[in-house]
Amino acid sequence: MNRCDALADALAQLRSDYECREIPDDRTVLVSTGRWFADGASVEVIVRWDGDEIIVSDGGLVTGRLELIDFHREGPAAKDFWRDIASDFGVSEIDGRVYVRATAVRAAEAIAQVADAVLALDSVRHAPTRQKVRRFDEKVRNWLLEEAGFAIWDESTVTTVSGGEQAVTAVVVSERGPIVVMSAVGGGSSQRVRGTEHAYFVFSQLDRKVWPTEQRLTVLGERPEAWRQDHLAILRATSYVGSFERQLSLASFLNGELLPKDHDLITFDKPLGI
Amino acid sequence: MVGHGCTERRFAGGRWLTVKPGLPRMVWRPAQHPQVAAVALCDAIRRIARIAQRNAWTLAAGSVGLRAQYWCLGMEVRPDGMDDMLFRHLRSGNAGLVLNDPLDWRPLTNQQRCARGEALVSNRTGHQILVGMQICPGRPWAPSVYLRGGPDGLMAWRMDVRSDHINRRTDQRRWRRATHINVWRDDLGSDKHAVDPWFPLSHHDSVLTVGADDYREMFEEFCAGSEIMLGAGYRWTDPPPFPTATTMVGGGVP
């Protein structure tokens, strides 16, 4: 008995994952490729005969999956990843569909080529996007206005100690005076470093007599636990530091109900209204 | 009077709490939330009313705002708009979901290759909730219909029509070109665990021919199954027509 015989059933099961099905267009079929995305959806390709050739396409599968989660691949990193992966796998793209043309005898290769490319291209969802960084500012401002119910200055700029104008995320109007809010998004380690540096740079330029620490707030983006403790310590030296995932604490700080001495609004837990 | 301008009236099932006339009232059953003080609930009602007014959300009188429960229980509302608690509330059928607008189909552009229509659903959760449908031109027989929390939010559940799926991280169940529903779980997110549709559907998974009437039927059956009432302002609008993709050397790319 060959050692591989022990896997005969498993291999038969894998082969059964390849399946062809007719679809309404009489030149075209839908093929299951035996490949699956991480979330459990399957990779299917569409094969169309065009004379002696075939066109194998994903039918916009990856594009549709990315659009469904509102991922826009126009950001520089995602765009580069997409282009490089498509180039490495030798696939082309038109109107959001990834495809290759091949002779009919190369059908197996072409199906595998597109299916493998599709799996790799789907991973661009993990690439950082410029839009996400920009939108976190908007999220914070929107939350301040619409949900937390604070008024903010029309102009999001403050005067620095040297007399210059500095853009900030928002300036909140509160009973204890205006509060400068800086947002720092934290999708990746390099973003967290840049966010730390930028918030620190901005707050370092403000006069402490005009803007005491109690009137400064840094709001961190996703996953506050991912921020390095030494970076948080740097930020806490110049402002109170909270997380967008802990909105109750942010609101309590802005209302003057929560002013911990260590400037830490992330681990200090005091629910509102109780 | 329980303080903070909040009045309390007892009735057989619990107590009504009202901040002031015109604002939503909340049914408070102390047995359900023994650790929550009435004053805290009044504060939560006030906050919910303020958000609702700013966002023109509908809060039915007498409803228990889910966001009030979050606040009262000292829980944070997730910024991405979905978690187990909200999912359970939406699934319970007590969220008062009403669709009063037609789906707003976004135009197809170089950046948007799939047609997607969305509309806000008024509700009594205190969250922004949207219902939507996405149809991609290369796979018109397999649309997705979903309910999600807010315009940037994650999906509570999503019906994938005539699609394959495997529950890799849970029970290993497989769907082979069969309609299934991906449901939210805090430990898995919005698309890794699927279940069979819990409501009747008219379409046949084996028939791939689709038209606007089929989309309408799928969407409205999804709404019915998701306990979304179709209000007077709702009417069906067809998705935009799809362009055909053509390669440089001729031949349409499917």
Side-chain angles (χ1 to χ4, degrees), chain A residues 77-152:
Chain A
K79 204 172 179 176
D80 288 349
F81 282 155
W82 182 281
R83 191 191 54 227
D84 292 347
I85 292 169
S87 167
D88 286 348
F89 279 92
V91 295
S92 306
E93 187 192 358
I94 185 167
D95 284 348
R97 299 161 203 199
V98 175
Y99 75 97
V100 293
R101 294 181 74 95
T103 54
V105 293
R106 276 197 61 232
E109 281 171 53
I111 289 169
Q113 189 177 352
V114 172
D116 291 340
V118 158
L119 271 180
L121 287 168
D122 191 65
S123 63
V124 301
R125 65 179 62 213
H126 301 297
T129 62
R130 184 178 287 168
Q131 195 167 6
K132 272 189 178 173
V133 177
R134 190 175 62 244
R135 283 176 60 184
F136 182 59
D137 277 11
E138 292 164 14
K139 272 187 181 178
V140 171
R141 273 195 297 271
N142 189 55
W143 174 77
L144 287 166
L145 279 170
E146 302 297 331
E147 294 212 19
F150 291 101
I152 62 174

Side-chain angles (χ1 to χ4, degrees), chain B residues 16-249:
Chain B
W16 287 110
L17 292 171
T18 309
V19 178
K20 65 180 182 182
L23 289 184
R25 290 182 302 177
M26 175 181 282
V27 181
W28 178 42
R29 294 183 175 86
Q32 287 178 2
H33 304 297
Q35 69 275 54
V36 178
V39 172
L41 277 170
C42 294
D43 185 53
I45 295 173
R46 200 175 294 115
R47 287 165 189 272
I48 284 179
R50 193 168 61 196
I51 293 171
Q53 283 169 348
R54 284 174 188 276
N55 293 285
W57 294 343
T58 306
L59 284 175
S63 68
V64 179
L66 186 69
R67 190 175 287 245
Q69 292 183 40
Y70 279 91
W71 278 330
C72 293
L73 298 174
M75 293 171 64
E76 298 282 348
V77 178
R78 288 172 64 112
D80 54 19
M82 191 53 56
D83 59 23
D84 281 350
M85 188 163 161
L86 178 56
F87 171 80
R88 281 198 302 272
H89 194 63
L90 292 168
R91 275 289 284 122
S92 72
N94 297 321
L97 304 174
V98 181
L99 176 60
N100 254 317
D101 296 297
L103 286 183
D104 182 16
W105 292 96
R106 66 183 183 185
L108 296 171
T109 65
N110 282 343
Q111 279 75 46
Q112 311 292 343
R113 304 297 189 173
C114 297
R116 184 195 282 184
E118 283 190 342
L120 278 171
V121 177
S122 69
N123 66 85
R124 53 175 82 137
T125 67
H127 290 247
Q128 217 172 16
I129 304 291
L130 290 102
V131 64
M133 183 173 208
Q134 177 166 302
I135 308 164
C136 294
R139 303 168 174 271
W141 58 83
S144 294
V145 193
Y146 55 83
L147 188 72
R148 70 172 179 169
D152 296 324
L154 298 171
M155 290 173 189
W157 54 88
R158 184 184 77 233
M159 177 171 80
D160 286 345
V161 177
R162 301 182 181 114
S163 298
D164 293 359
H165 180 86
I166 180 169
N167 280 342
R168 261 207 176 117
R169 291 175 57 188
T170 52
D171 56 12
Q172 305 299 315
R173 268 203 68 189
R174 280 184 180 218
W175 284 260
R176 204 38 139 170
R177 283 166 196 155
T179 300
H180 57 274
I181 300 183
N182 299 281
V183 292
W184 172 269
R185 279 175 47 156
D186 273 356
D187 56 343
L188 296 172
S190 58
D191 47 18
K192 292 186 180 64
H193 180 71
V195 297
D196 286 324
W198 55 80
F199 45 84
L201 291 162
S202 305
H203 74 266
H204 296 287
D205 281 338
S206 56
V207 180
L208 299 190
T209 312
V210 282
D213 289 344
D214 300 298
Y215 294 138
R216 175 184 189 155
E217 194 175 71
M218 289 168 192
F219 178 75
E220 292 180 358
E221 285 173 347
F222 176 87
C223 288
S226 303
E227 312 247 9
I228 302 171
M229 206 176 87
L230 300 179
Y234 165 78
R235 63 185 166 76
W236 171 255
T237 48
D238 289 341
F242 296 124
T244 308
T246 306
T247 65
M248 296 293 284
V249 289

Side-chain angles (χ1 to χ4, degrees), chain A:
Chain A
M1 181 171 163
N2 187 315
R3 280 196 301 279
C4 290
D5 290 345
L7 285 176
D9 289 347
L11 294 174
Q13 196 178 328
L14 286 173
R15 277 192 288 271
S16 73
D17 280 345
Y18 290 83
E19 222 177 69
C20 180
R21 187 181 192 191
E22 292 185 334
I23 58 175
D25 178 351
D26 58 11
R27 289 186 303 154
T28 311
V29 293
L30 181 66
V31 176
S32 299
T33 65
R35 292 157 175 85
W36 302 80
F37 293 107
D39 62 18
S42 75
V43 177
E44 294 175 324
V45 297
I46 299 173
V47 181
R48 175 174 289 173
W49 280 267
D50 184 27
D52 294 336
E53 292 191 317
I54 55 164
I55 301 172
V56 180
S57 156
D58 78 330
L61 177 64
V62 185
T63 300
R65 284 169 55 81
L66 296 177
E67 286 189 17
L68 207 50
I69 58 165
D70 291 316
F71 182 88
H72 302 284
R73 55 183 169 96
E74 285 69 44
K79 204 172 179 176
D80 288 349
F81 282 155
W82 182 281
R83 191 191 54 227
D84 292 347
I85 292 169
S87 167
D88 286 348
F89 279 92
V91 295
S92 306
E93 187 192 358
I94 185 167
D95 284 348
R97 299 161 203 199
V98 175
Y99 75 97
V100 293
R101 294 181 74 95
T103 54
V105 293
R106 276 197 61 232
E109 281 171 53
I111 289 169
Q113 189 177 352
V114 172
D116 291 340
V118 158
L119 271 180
L121 287 168
D122 191 65
S123 63
V124 301
R125 65 179 62 213
H126 301 297
T129 62
R130 184 178 287 168
Q131 195 167 6
K132 272 189 178 173
V133 177
R134 190 175 62 244
R135 283 176 60 184
F136 182 59
D137 277 11
E138 292 164 14
K139 272 187 181 178
V140 171
R141 273 195 297 271
N142 189 55
W143 174 77
L144 287 166
L145 279 170
E146 302 297 331
E147 294 212 19
F150 291 101
I152 62 174
W153 286 6
D154 291 339
E155 295 290 324
S156 297
T157 55
V158 291
T159 306
T160 65
V161 69
S162 57
E165 290 288 305
Q166 173 64 53
V168 296
T169 300
V171 182
V172 173
V173 179
S174 80
E175 287 179 2
R176 55 194 177 86
I179 300 171
V180 176
V181 178
M182 283 298 298
S183 58
V185 76
S189 57
S190 58
Q191 281 183 339
R192 286 190 287 275
V193 171
R194 280 200 300 273
T196 304
E197 288 172 350
H198 186 56
Y200 181 79
F201 171 75
V202 170
F203 283 128
S204 300
Q205 292 186 84
L206 303 186
D207 188 340
R208 282 200 181 271
K209 288 174 191 161
V210 181
W211 300 104
T213 310
E214 289 71 28
Q215 289 172 232
R216 303 167 175 213
L217 172 65
T218 302
V219 181
L220 306 183
E222 300 154 21
R223 298 177 57 233
E225 69 278 6
W227 290 69
R228 281 170 45 176
Q229 285 303 316
D230 55 330
H231 286 179
L232 293 177
I234 288 169
L235 289 172
R236 285 199 298 267
T238 56
S239 71
Y240 279 77
V241 180
S243 161
F244 199 56
E245 291 183 359
R246 303 192 66 78
Q247 296 176 355
L248 287 173
S249 302
L250 297 179
S252 299
F253 167 76
L254 293 167
N255 281 321
E257 298 160 358
L258 178 63
L259 293 164
K261 285 179 183 168
D262 60 2
H263 304 166
D264 179 5
L265 302 170
I266 297 171
T267 53
F268 192 99
D269 194 11
K270 181 185 176 186
L272 261 188
I274 296 183

